Amino acid sequence: MVATRLRRVARGPRPETIPSVIGTASALIGLLDIAAGVFPRFRHSRLHAVAEILPGAVSPLAAAASIVVGVLLLMLAHGLKRRKRRAWVAAAGLLPAGAAAQIVYRHSVAGAVLSLVLLALLVRHRGEFAALPDPRTRWKALVNFVVLGGASLGLGLVIVGSHPGKVIGSPSFADRCQHVLWGLFGFEGPVRYTGDVSYTVGYSLGALGLLTVVTTAYLAFRPEQPAARLTAEDEERLRELLARHGGRDSLGHFALRRDKAVVFSPSGKAAVCYRVVSGVMLASGDPVGDVEAWPGAIERFMAEARAHSWTPAVMGCSETGGQVWTRESGLDALELGDEAIVDVADFTLSGRSMRNVRQMVGRIQRGGYETRVRRVRDLDPGELERVQRAAADWRGTDTERGFSMALGRIGDPADGDAVIATAHRPDAGPGAEGADAGPYGDLKAVLHFVPWGRDGMSLELMRRDRSADPGMNELLIVASLQAAPELGVQRVSLNFAMFRSALARGEKLGAGPVLRGWCGLLLFLSRWFQIESLYKFNAKFQPRWEPRFVVFRNTRDLPRIGLAAMQAEGFVSLSLPRPGWWRRGSGSTPGGGSPASGRAARPAPGPGASGECSGAADATRVDGAGASAGRARPGRAGAADGSGVPVGAGASRAIPS
């Protein structure tokens, strides 16, 4: 099979259908209210005689109110389906107004009754709507302005043209568009009507324009909730868990990213770190801590997701982690790809299978390059600062990428056990002559590894100078593996190869048409995401492959989870542009943080429970669901290394930038 599915041992309760039904009903009644406000009223209704005694301005205002209520009910439908309490409160207040507008303008008893029936259902099932609000972000104001503004223009054209018998003359389409635009701003346009239709159209257009302005201003100027941040206390507790159980998962140290929130098990012996992106509660890797305490942490994670009506998902968990997740939460799991792990004791450059790597490394060494592999704590501050600046400047993209397989910082004092491998060319120092001299002295490439328990390390970042010779990545990986015994390292986790098994099986003799077709699609996508080249780059070092999985609730959630994963990894950004003074840097700083993410200094303690981080993450070892995720994120732009893996934006454990 192309992808492996972990069978669920136990299923959790099925999602509630009542909020979904009420949300759908809200959308339908919203459409009915819009139609009631746009099209002329029934002149022969039994209530017509009663309505005629009302003041003349009441009916046009009722039409405008019906349209506004309908639009708002449409906007609230999604929140009702997600059981949001604020959506329930707003809908309960709007439905009586919509019923009144139906009576006054359309004289429709049926329309009013439908609104009141939905109101009764809302009151009857009010206990179903207890979900807390999502974190606030500024970009929602821009989305609201674009979407609601466009809808107002389209609906305005319908309103202007819905009274053909009352129009004076034959206005052109341009005149109608001008009338809509002027009407949204509260002014009279070039189209003229007989009777009180001009008031109805004018009030309706003005109400749409006012609705767009008010909702956009509210979303733009309301206080923005802080993004999820790992507090100092949470980080200390996680480090204690990693000290005891960190050797179980190569991704464990990435739980210490400071733009994640965390939930602990009741015993405090396990934890799940996550970030909320576009309504998806996205965890990565396996839970941290004692395996026996994982169910308690998973239960807390799922409870938090239910409380906020977030979509739960886990990226890049191991097979054991996937089994526990599916058993305890009722979720499903699909294989994403394989992690390349090299056992140091078995690694050698001899043999025919290592011929290409051996020749490339030998050629580079003859070119005058030297390598140094050291713990972060062993670097002097000046050299560490130079490494940080070089890694930031060699990134190759405007945004730092990574989330699930990236730490987001280099040289933090708390990460003294991390390993940095550097490549140098002594004749390219500050005093050297020639084209190779640069602002970073003789430094030409950098690899950064994070601890994996007491006897392992996990590749997190990979950068090189574009002017350096091809093969820097191979040179530093080999140097790191050779220096590993002196560092007490017995196993090294390299890159994550997305869909590796499909690529490997599709190339074998006898592969079926479905497998060959899937393999061909992956090869085609590799033109942009470097899926194949990343797999072949990993395979050079003869690793053992460990499968990694994505855990999800429903198949229909996968597109949404994929988009959220790409946002978290930095492939897609929905954030509003920030002022220039907010962007003072784009890489790691001596303090161990990255100005691009606001972590040049220790962040202030955040809520720790929830948060949506808009903005890119600070590293490059990543795992993605709809795009090729992996750990070595070589950049698409720029020259390729000798392995065919692009460099510059590259980083380990990621797909190409």
Side-chain angles (χ1 to χ4, degrees):
M1 295 180 64
V2 173
T4 301
R5 179 185 291 270
L6 294 179
R7 188 168 62 91
R8 287 183 287 185
V9 179
R11 288 182 179 267
R14 295 181 61 186
E16 297 291 342
T17 58
I18 292 177
S20 179
V21 171
I22 291 179
T24 302
S26 174
L28 293 176
I29 291 179
L31 291 174
L32 179 62
D33 286 340
I34 293 174
V38 170
F39 299 103
R41 60 193 179 197
F42 295 124
R43 290 295 180 181
H44 302 290
S45 169
R46 293 181 180 180
L47 296 179
H48 175 66
V50 177
E52 288 296 325
I53 66 176
L54 297 175
V58 172
S59 185
L61 286 174
S66 182
I67 294 173
V68 170
V69 170
V71 172
L72 290 175
L73 287 176
L74 280 175
M75 296 171 64
L76 293 172
H78 181 65
L80 291 172
K81 290 182 178 180
R82 295 183 60 200
R83 304 184 296 110
K84 294 297 184 180
R85 184 67 180 178
R86 290 183 178 179
W88 181 91
V89 172
L94 288 171
L95 286 171
Q102 289 275 1
I103 292 291
V104 174
Y105 182 61
R106 284 290 298 252
H107 314 155
S108 172
V109 176
V113 168
L114 287 176
S115 296
L116 295 177
V117 168
L118 180 58
L119 176 62
L121 287 175
L122 282 173
V123 175
R124 171 67 178 80
H125 298 286
R126 58 186 177 276
E128 300 286 341
F129 301 89
L132 300 175
D134 289 337
R136 302 167 181 171
T137 53
R138 302 293 188 194
W139 65 266
K140 290 183 179 179
L142 178 61
V143 173
N144 179 83
F145 178 77
V146 173
V147 174
L148 189 55
S152 297
L153 288 173
L155 188 57
L157 288 174
V158 175
I159 293 173
V160 171
S162 62
H163 306 271
K166 300 293 184 178
V167 178
I168 299 176
S170 300
S172 64
F173 179 76
D175 291 335
R176 294 173 185 268
C177 291
Q178 184 180 354
H179 192 86
V180 172
L181 290 175
W182 281 106
L184 292 176
F185 288 96
F187 300 103
E188 185 71 22
V191 181
R192 296 290 182 267
Y193 300 90
T194 60
D196 61 353
V197 173
S198 60
Y199 293 101
T200 302
V201 173
Y203 287 155
S204 299
L205 293 177
L208 286 175
L210 182 63
L211 177 64
T212 302
V213 172
V214 170
T215 55
T216 301
Y218 168 74
L219 294 173
F221 296 106
R222 65 177 178 171
E224 185 174 9
Q225 292 180 352
R229 293 296 182 193
L230 200 65
T231 65
E233 180 182 356
D234 290 338
E235 183 174 340
E236 183 178 355
R237 295 178 64 185
L238 287 173
R239 289 187 183 276
E240 292 176 357
L241 293 177
L242 289 172
R244 294 194 295 267
H245 307 283
R248 211 213 58 79
D249 184 16
S250 67
L251 307 187
H253 199 83
F254 299 120
L256 298 176
R257 284 185 64 98
R258 291 167 183 163
D259 56 1
K260 289 183 178 181
V262 60
V263 290
F264 289 91
S265 65
S267 65
K269 295 181 178 180
V272 175
C273 295
Y274 67 92
R275 188 198 297 172
V276 178
V277 183
S278 297
V280 177
M281 192 176 182
L282 197 63
S284 58
D286 293 342
V288 178
D290 190 350
V291 176
E292 294 183 359
W294 284 7
I298 292 173
E299 183 180 357
R300 288 279 180 89
F301 177 89
M302 296 300 295
E304 190 76 11
R306 287 191 296 270
H308 292 267
S309 192
W310 289 330
T311 300
V314 184
M315 303 301 303
C317 66
S318 67
E319 186 170 2
T320 300
Q323 290 173 347
V324 177
W325 271 102
T326 55
R327 183 183 70 240
E328 298 297 330
S329 63
L331 303 178
D332 273 339
L334 283 175
E335 183 177 343
L336 273 178
D338 296 271
E339 177 184 14
I341 299 176
V342 178
D343 294 312
V344 174
D346 298 332
F347 177 76
T348 177
L349 282 177
S350 62
R352 184 176 181 84
S353 61
M354 298 297 294
R355 179 182 177 183
N356 290 338
V357 176
R358 184 172 64 250
Q359 290 178 344
M360 178 172 290
V361 170
R363 176 179 56 80
I364 297 174
Q365 289 176 337
R366 290 192 296 272
Y369 287 90
E370 299 177 356
T371 59
R372 303 170 194 169
V373 182
R374 295 156 290 175
R375 299 281 184 185
V376 168
R377 60 173 173 263
D378 296 330
L379 273 70
D380 64 77
E383 184 176 5
L384 181 58
E385 189 272 339
R386 188 163 59 250
V387 168
Q388 291 168 338
R389 287 191 294 109
D393 292 346
W394 293 341
R395 185 172 58 230
T397 58
D398 292 336
T399 57
E400 192 80 72
R401 295 178 175 177
F403 165 68
S404 56
M405 298 181 182
L407 183 61
R409 58 184 182 266
I410 299 177
D412 191 291
D415 301 319
D417 287 338
V419 175
I420 289 182
T422 55
H424 304 262
R425 193 169 185 179
D427 61 350
E433 297 181 358
D436 288 336
Y440 314 109
D442 59 0
L443 183 64
K444 290 299 178 181
V446 176
L447 263 62
H448 184 233
F449 298 84
V450 298
W452 174 13
R454 298 179 180 177
D455 61 351
M457 61 184 186
S458 188
L459 181 58
E460 189 262 343
L461 178 141
M462 189 160 51
R463 300 277 168 80
R464 53 156 284 189
D465 187 348
R466 294 176 184 271
S467 65
D469 293 338
M472 290 291 104
N473 294 334
E474 288 89 339
L475 174 67
L476 286 180
I477 289 177
V478 169
S480 300
L481 292 171
Q482 292 175 339
E486 299 179 5
L487 299 172
V489 173
Q490 300 178 11
R491 52 187 178 165
V492 177
S493 175
L494 298 178
N495 301 317
F496 176 84
M498 191 73 171
F499 303 123
R500 182 205 67 87
S501 58
L503 291 171
R505 297 170 189 169
E507 295 175 350
K508 290 184 178 180
L509 182 66
V514 175
L515 188 56
R516 287 186 178 275
W518 175 232
C519 182
L521 176 61
L522 293 177
L523 294 177
F524 175 75
L525 294 176
S526 293
R527 298 180 181 182
W528 294 275
F529 297 110
Q530 307 296 332
I531 302 174
E532 180 190 23
S533 61
L534 186 57
Y535 155 55
K536 291 185 175 180
F537 176 81
N538 294 331
K540 287 182 178 183
F541 304 97
Q542 302 299 306
R544 56 182 172 90
W545 300 98
E546 295 291 339
R548 290 279 173 174
F549 297 83
V550 55
V551 178
F552 57 96
R553 183 173 56 190
N554 297 306
T555 303
R556 62 176 178 270
D557 291 334
L558 285 176
R560 185 179 182 186
I561 293 171
L563 177 61
M566 287 190 287
Q567 287 180 249
E569 304 293 358
F571 287 98
V572 177
S573 177
L574 301 181
S575 301
L576 288 174
R578 295 183 176 185
W581 59 269
W582 234 348
R583 298 191 301 259
R584 295 181 180 176
S586 59
S588 301
T589 60
S594 170
S597 65
R599 287 201 303 276
R602 178 73 181 190
S610 65
E612 179 174 350
C613 181
S614 60
D618 288 329
T620 46
R621 166 171 175 161
V622 307
D623 185 3
S628 62
R631 293 188 191 169
R633 179 177 275 154
R636 274 163 53 187
D641 206 338
S643 61
V645 180
V647 297
S652 48
R653 304 208 174 244
I655 63 179
S657 303

